């Protein structure tokens, strides 16, 4: 049952409006207004309280104001309602004043009871108007108004512990930034938001929700929050393969687009990048012997093979192995001749016969028959080819290549399409290009770099694709299968990914997710709502200097997220980022986030950054940022009608991400707070063995260390 504004004004009045401007209202408190706790609102409530809500009756409802500051002023006269006689001698008297930020209006709808809160104040009060305390139900309406608020994330201590609920469409649809100091509760909030959303969706649907969350987890903390056997979340955790993991993290190198390749290999802008792009395109074009391939593609492949033979021949010539390993060379030459023999009928227009004849002639001349003296068995060996013979072979292959002409594939696939090839293919092809275009001096280092990366076992475990990953099953695994049958959350543990590749790997996963959803929309005409969570966003979405030369992996990674922040919404991809250094985040990404969950922030620069995200009249609440306890946060933006202080729901220990502070005291004294013994042996032998064994041998999969 709602009172009329004027009935209420009588009973709950606490003061009078003394000053009005569109963004500030000053109030003089009545002498008899409560001094610390108001008891007449339906329950004890702290009053006056900074950031507490007060109402001023206007037109057909109330203007809602939030207390920004309060003060005591010495007034020359006491203020006594009803008997203002200024004739007596009075002592200076303390008068309390406070300032309100107008936030919106609270109205009782004509067709029901309760109140509805709307942002924006269309009517301002005048001086002399009464200021009243909200009743409990009014207070709750301020925080709880709004539609489709399906998921409860916490309660609001400033609003009579009203339930703070959010509309998932709003929370995830236009990107959410969770910001706060270390230990302020960001990871718990993120894990909670995912879990509470899924729990509610499951309850409403009465079965598994068709939801998709991809969590990029640089610290490896989320596998504890989302254990495998948890029936609601059913997370899939991908880890770097250390021998025992169930799902190995694979980001095959053929997923990478050209920008990612260029940044990873540090290709120089002028000379190396164009050639690297071309090599990628051509490797992808020539990758299969598909029967349906065009004439051009077949010629292209022939060219590639002839070139690589020519390169090998020249290499042998340089190293003199033609002379020193004459027999081995002879057998190689036989293999080449057999290949050429096959190509002749396929390519009648190319003068391959001359090469064949030249090699045959040399083979015939240098071929010898021997007999094993001991066993009497016959065998074949070769003596060294003469320089003239080698020269003839090289010349005929060059002639064949010249007849083929330089083939630049017009119709080949785009260099960024994820088509399978191996790293060795690419390195070989770059070598061929270097030879063909006569630019070895530019490419040698690049090729060497690529070969070094490929031979590094830590990298190979992630980027080389030996198990035959297909694009389809990768998407199924990482983004989630049909109806989320395989689970709703995939956690990608980046903690053991070598630092050299961690940015590229993150960029590739984020981009693949984005592009897959983009294509999903193109194919199906509807979006597949998916949430991408990036923890420690300041390392992966770090602001960078804009210049062409600066295309390092960190920049490329940031650019992917900028693109997702700008366009993700259209394709159903929502971004949740969590960071302790908002001032280091890319401004583009931050400005595209429409909802903020702000935990304690005490650093100046970071506070400043956050203050700039909100309009002036809402900054009052943000002054609480430095003093927020963990688990409390301010929710503001698109998902919340007005900024609210939220005490997040409790997340039991077993559902929290693993990020406990180290237990110094407990280890020192040998027992924990509950008196349970704690022992830590410094077993360096194990550590040393694990360290030196390299990536594949160690068998710790990170689970269970927290018994
Ligand atoms: N909703 C919650 N329920 C229960 N405990 C919480 C909650 N939020 C925070 N905490 C407590 O606060 C501690 C720190 O939280 P959390 O690890 O989420 O901080 P963080 O901001 O992610 O820190 P960092 O920046 O170092 O990753 C947790 O270990 C937990 O004890
Ligand atoms: Mg954290």
């Amino acid at each position: 049952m709602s009172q009329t504004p004027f009935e209420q004004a009588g009973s709950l009045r606490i003061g009078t409006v003394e000053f009005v401007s569109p963004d500030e209202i000053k109030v003089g408190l009545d002498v008899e207004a409560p001094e610390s706790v108001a008891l007449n609102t339906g329950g004890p409530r702290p009053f006056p309280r900074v950031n507490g809500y007060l109402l001023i009756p206007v037109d057909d409802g109330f203007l809602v104001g939030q207390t920004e500051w309060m003060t005591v002023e010495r007034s020359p006269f006491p203020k006594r309602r009803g008997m203002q006689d200024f004739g007596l001698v009075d002592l200076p008297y303390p008068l309390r004043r406070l300032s309100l930020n107008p936030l919106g209006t609270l109205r009782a709808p004509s067709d029901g009871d309760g109140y509805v809160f709307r942002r924006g104040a269309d009517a301002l009060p005048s001086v002399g108007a009464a200021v009243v305390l909200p009743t409990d139900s009014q207070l709750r309406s301020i925080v709880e108004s709004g539609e489709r608020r399906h998921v409860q994330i916490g309660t609001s201590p400033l609003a009579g512990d009203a339930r703070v609920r959010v509309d998932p469409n709003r929370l995830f649809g236009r990107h959410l930034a969770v910001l706060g100091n270390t230990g302020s509760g960001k990871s718990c909030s993120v894990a909670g938001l995912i879990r509470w959303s899924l729990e509610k969706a499951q309850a409403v649907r009465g079965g598994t929700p068709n939801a998709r969350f991809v969590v990029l987890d640089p610290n490896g903390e989320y596998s504890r929050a989302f254990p495998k056997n948890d029936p609601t979340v059913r997370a899939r955790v991908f880890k770097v393969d250390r021998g025992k993991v169930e799902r190995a993290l694979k980001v095959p190198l053929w997923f990478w687009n050209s920008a990612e390749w260029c940044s990873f290999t540090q290709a120089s802008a002028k000379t190396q990048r164009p050639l690297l792009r071309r090599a990628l395109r051509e490797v992808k074009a020539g990758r299969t012997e598909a029967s349906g391939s065009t004439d051009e593609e077949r010629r292209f492949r022939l060219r590639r093979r002839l070139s690589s033979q020519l390169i090998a021949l020249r290499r042998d010539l340089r190293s003199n192995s033609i002379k020193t390993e004459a027999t081995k060379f002879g057998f190689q030459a036989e293999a080449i001749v057999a290949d050429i023999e096959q190509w002749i009928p396929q390519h009648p227009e190319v003068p391959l016969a001359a090469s064949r004849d030249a090699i045959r002639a040399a083979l015939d001349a240098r071929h010898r028959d021997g007999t094993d003296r001991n066993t009497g068995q016959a065998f074949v060996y070769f003596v060294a080819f003469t320089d003239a013979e080698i020269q003839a072979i090289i010349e005929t292959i060059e002639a064949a290549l010249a007849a083929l002409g330089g083939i630049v594939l017009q119709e080949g696939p785009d260099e960024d399409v994820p088509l399978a090839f191996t790293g060795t293919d690419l390195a070989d092809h770059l070598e061929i290009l270097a030879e063909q275009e006569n630019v070895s001096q530019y490419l040698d280092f690049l090729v060497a770099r690529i070969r070094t990366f490929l031979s590094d076992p830590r990298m190979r475990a992630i980027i080389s694709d030996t198990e035959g990953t297909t694009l389809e099953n990768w998407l199924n695994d990482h983004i989630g299968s049909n109806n989320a049958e395989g689970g709703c959350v995939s956690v990608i543990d980046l903690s053991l990914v070598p630092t050299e590749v961690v940015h590229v790997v993150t960029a590739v996963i984020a981009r693949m997710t984005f592009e897959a959803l983009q294509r999903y929309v193109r194919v199906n005409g509807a979006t597949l709502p998916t949430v991408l969570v990036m923890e420690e966003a300041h390392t992966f979405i770090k602001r960078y200097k804009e210049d062409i030369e600066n295309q390092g992996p960190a920049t490329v990674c940031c650019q992917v997220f900028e693109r997702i922040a700008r366009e993700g919404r259209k394709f159903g991809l929502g971004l949740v980022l969590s960071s302790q250094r908002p001032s280091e985040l890319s401004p583009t990404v931050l400005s595209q986030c429409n909802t903020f969950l702000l935990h304690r922030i005490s650093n100046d620069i970071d506070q400043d950054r956050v203050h700039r995200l909100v309009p002036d009249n809402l900054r009052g609440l943000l002054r609480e940022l430095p003093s927020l306890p963990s688990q409390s946060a301010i929710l503001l933006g698109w998902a919340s009608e007005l900024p609210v202080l939220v005490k997040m729901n409790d997340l039991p220990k077993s559902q929290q991400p693993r990020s406990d502070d180290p237990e110094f005291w407990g280890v020192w004294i040998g027992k924990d707070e509950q008196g349970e013994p704690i022992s830590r042996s410094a077993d360096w032998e194990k550590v040393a063995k694990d360290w030196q064994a390299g990536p594949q041998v160690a068998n710790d999969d990170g689970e269970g260390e927290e018994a």
Side-chain angles (χ1 to χ4, degrees), residues 73-94:
E73 283 171 10
R74 302 281 154 186
S75 152
F77 303 109
K79 192 178 168 197
R80 281 162 297 196
R81 201 153 9 125
M83 34 179 199
Q84 298 286 47
D85 79 62
F86 296 104
L88 296 174
V89 179
D90 266 317
L91 293 173
Y93 195 86

Side-chain angles (χ1 to χ4, degrees), residues 377-558:
Q377 265 186 350
F379 66 91
V380 173
Y381 69 99
F382 290 94
V383 294
F385 284 31
T386 64
D387 288 349
E389 283 161 349
I390 298 285
Q391 206 49 45
I393 296 173
I394 288 180
E395 270 164 25
T396 53
I397 295 183
E398 277 173 346
L401 278 171
L404 265 171
I407 300 168
V408 178
L409 280 183
Q410 307 294 341
E411 292 288 312
D414 182 330
E415 70 246 31
D416 294 341
V417 178
L419 291 170
F421 65 86
T422 69
T424 328
D425 280 350
L426 180 70
D428 288 351
H429 193 71
L430 269 170
E431 246 166 10
I432 295 170
L433 274 184
E435 193 87 6
Q436 187 178 314
E437 304 291 318
N438 222 346
V439 287
S440 312
Q441 74 271 35
Y442 299 129
L443 283 188
D444 280 356
F445 283 120
L446 185 68
V447 174
R449 235 169 6 237
I450 294 178
R451 291 205 194 276
T452 315
F453 285 132
L454 292 172
S455 62
D456 181 340
R458 294 172 314 147
M459 307 270 191
R460 258 209 326 256
I462 304 166
I463 67 177
S464 286
D465 169 37
T466 41
E467 260 111 80
T469 312
T470 65
L471 181 58
E472 183 189 333
N473 60 32
W474 192 90
L475 293 174
N476 243 326
D477 279 354
H478 291 76
I479 304 183
S481 45
N482 189 30
N483 286 324
E485 276 152 8
C488 303
V489 175
S490 66
V491 175
I492 295 167
D493 183 339
L494 300 166
S495 60
L496 291 174
V497 176
T499 35
E500 302 95 303
V501 276
V502 73
H503 280 99
V504 176
V505 163
T506 311
V508 173
I509 297 173
R511 181 182 54 78
M512 291 297 284
T513 310
F514 174 68
E515 290 187 358
L517 294 173
Q518 206 174 15
R519 291 200 153 66
Y520 182 94
V521 171
R522 201 178 302 161
V523 175
N524 296 286
T527 59
L528 184 70
T530 303
V531 180
L532 183 66
V533 180
M534 183 74 245
E535 263 281 345
E536 304 288 339
H538 48 275
T539 19
F540 295 92
I541 316 183
K542 197 183 176 73
R543 56 166 68 216
Y544 58 91
K545 282 205 211 69
E546 299 248 5
D547 62 52
I548 324 152
E549 283 298 319
N550 179 9
Q551 292 289 329
T555 308
V556 167
C557 185
C558 183

